[in-house]
Amino acid sequence: MKERDTPFLERKRMTSLGEALAKRLEALGSPLVSDYVLFREMWAVFERGEARYLRGEYPSREQFQRTRALLKQERVIINDADYGRMWRVLSVSDEPADEIVCLADPHGYISHLSAMQRYGLTERRPEALFLTLPAAALVKELNAQLFASDYQGRLPEGDVYVPPLKNIAHPKRVRKRLLNTYSTRRYGKFRRLRGKHARIATIGQTFLDMLDLPARCGGMLHVLSVWAESAPIYLEEIIARVDAAQDPILKVRAGYILDEQLGITDRRVLAWKSFAQRGSSRVLDPGEPFRETHSEEWMLSINVG
């Protein structure tokens, strides 16, 4: 929106580009932003005509760099202490590690023992924050989806500058808390915590993760204890997530625990027996060697204990 197209009284309430962007950053409520997010907010200032004397219909690379430098000079933003290529917004209160990592990485989510603790499935309080990240090959696809969501139908024709979404290099510690990251092509299901920036594996995904990587969940003995106490409570969520799992061994492990360990006779669970393989060397605990003790029904080595 150009100034000459704006009523005089409305123009009087407008501010400079730097001030308008600073207000948007404060309203965004995020203590950490990337260049991508900073530019996206500047784009919104142009679209909505929130500043005076805007040159052009959308921000240029030079305008972005100049305004970013101004915000840094005025200490509206500073380089973040943990993510040095991102910006700490000083008008917004800082957040703990679980919030910051999810602001830094739009695709990562809290998982494994940290998710178990957040759901009250375990009394253990891990020193490290467990985080699941998409494998590098998947990040490019997810970034493209995020870009399309932000700019679909908003970009004019021609060569337009937008800072790229980049792969995030997480430090060993964030806000003094140790990170324990895991990258996978089998990207799981997650949800955003209400009123928060943090994302967490769904309850069904959390139970599935226990069977896939029990070492990240306190060990298989602890996993079996958690399933015995809490699986009946979340049975519907577990069955739905296990049904959708692509790896057959996860269905077999879940089926064995629910059927033989917990005595749950659900036809959907019993249907997973079709994924059992006679003569296979499948094990209940993927981190331990094969043992002769096994389940005949589920054709699974019970290598725990």
Side-chain angles (χ1 to χ4, degrees):
M1 181 184 295
K2 299 179 181 178
E3 185 186 6
R4 64 175 179 268
D5 300 325
T6 308
F8 175 74
L9 290 177
E10 188 174 340
R11 290 206 308 268
K12 293 275 288 186
R13 293 194 295 270
M14 291 188 177
T15 61
S16 72
L17 177 55
E19 290 171 332
L21 182 55
K23 287 181 178 180
R24 287 197 67 87
L25 291 176
E26 185 172 0
L28 186 64
S30 172
L32 182 73
V33 296
S34 62
D35 275 349
Y36 178 86
V37 172
L38 196 63
F39 186 86
R40 186 190 67 197
E41 295 305 306
M42 183 182 288
W43 189 284
V45 170
F46 273 72
E47 277 191 328
R48 301 178 186 182
E50 293 174 349
R52 300 179 66 184
Y53 310 120
L54 295 177
R55 295 182 179 179
E57 297 180 1
Y58 50 85
S60 67
R61 183 172 189 164
E62 292 73 22
Q63 285 172 314
F64 171 65
Q65 292 174 341
R66 186 168 57 250
T67 305
R68 182 184 62 187
L70 174 64
L71 293 184
K72 187 177 180 181
Q73 178 183 326
E74 297 297 323
R75 291 187 62 79
V76 175
I77 59 174
I78 60 173
N79 291 96
D80 188 71
D82 297 320
Y83 293 95
R85 294 186 178 182
M86 294 188 180
W87 305 103
R88 171 78 177 87
V89 181
L90 294 180
S91 62
V92 180
S93 298
D94 201 10
E95 296 282 0
D98 54 352
E99 295 283 304
I100 294 298
V101 294
C102 291
L103 285 168
D105 191 329
H107 311 305
Y109 60 91
I110 299 163
S111 60
H112 299 93
L113 196 58
S114 293
M116 294 165 65
Q117 191 236 335
R118 292 293 290 263
Y119 284 121
L121 300 174
T122 180
E123 294 182 354
R124 299 186 183 187
R125 303 182 67 85
E127 177 186 359
L129 177 64
F130 286 79
L131 194 67
T132 290
L133 309 171
L138 184 56
V139 172
K140 185 176 181 180
E141 177 184 336
L142 294 172
N143 281 347
Q145 292 174 7
L146 180 56
F147 183 88
S149 174
D150 286 336
Y151 287 99
Q152 190 84 43
R154 299 171 69 190
L155 291 176
E157 293 183 3
D159 187 20
V160 179
Y161 171 75
V162 177
L165 280 159
K166 299 178 179 179
N167 289 12
I168 305 301
H170 290 278
K172 291 183 179 180
R173 290 182 182 272
V174 171
R175 302 307 189 256
K176 299 182 179 181
R177 186 169 184 188
L178 187 68
L179 291 191
N180 189 322
T181 61
Y182 172 69
S183 298
T184 177
R185 292 183 179 181
R186 293 185 296 180
Y187 200 45
K189 302 295 183 182
F190 59 87
R191 64 181 184 87
R192 184 169 174 175
L193 292 172
R194 182 177 299 176
K196 301 287 186 179
H197 302 291
R199 296 175 297 276
I200 187 171
T202 64
I203 190 72
Q205 181 68 46
T206 301
F207 275 91
L208 186 71
D209 288 342
M210 293 185 219
L211 305 182
D212 189 26
L213 293 169
R216 292 179 60 80
C217 301
M220 184 54 84
L221 282 175
H222 184 56
V223 166
L224 292 175
S225 174
V226 170
W227 274 66
E229 182 174 350
S230 300
I233 300 172
Y234 299 105
L235 186 61
E236 290 302 317
E237 292 91 338
I238 292 170
I239 290 175
R241 186 66 192 95
V242 173
D243 256 337
Q246 296 181 357
D247 195 340
I249 184 57
L250 300 180
K251 300 179 193 291
V252 173
R253 288 175 186 155
Y256 163 75
I257 296 172
L258 294 175
D259 176 29
E260 294 196 11
Q261 292 282 316
L262 305 185
I264 294 174
T265 55
D266 188 295
R267 59 177 180 77
R268 296 167 295 177
V269 172
L270 298 179
W272 297 337
K273 286 185 181 181
S274 64
F275 295 96
Q277 291 181 354
R278 189 167 300 281
S280 71
S281 56
R282 287 174 167 175
V283 296
L284 179 59
D285 187 347
E288 295 295 327
F290 183 90
R291 290 185 187 178
E292 292 300 323
T293 305
H294 65 282
S295 165
E296 288 282 356
E297 291 290 322
W298 292 94
M299 303 174 199
L300 187 70
S301 169
I302 312 304
N303 60 339
V304 181

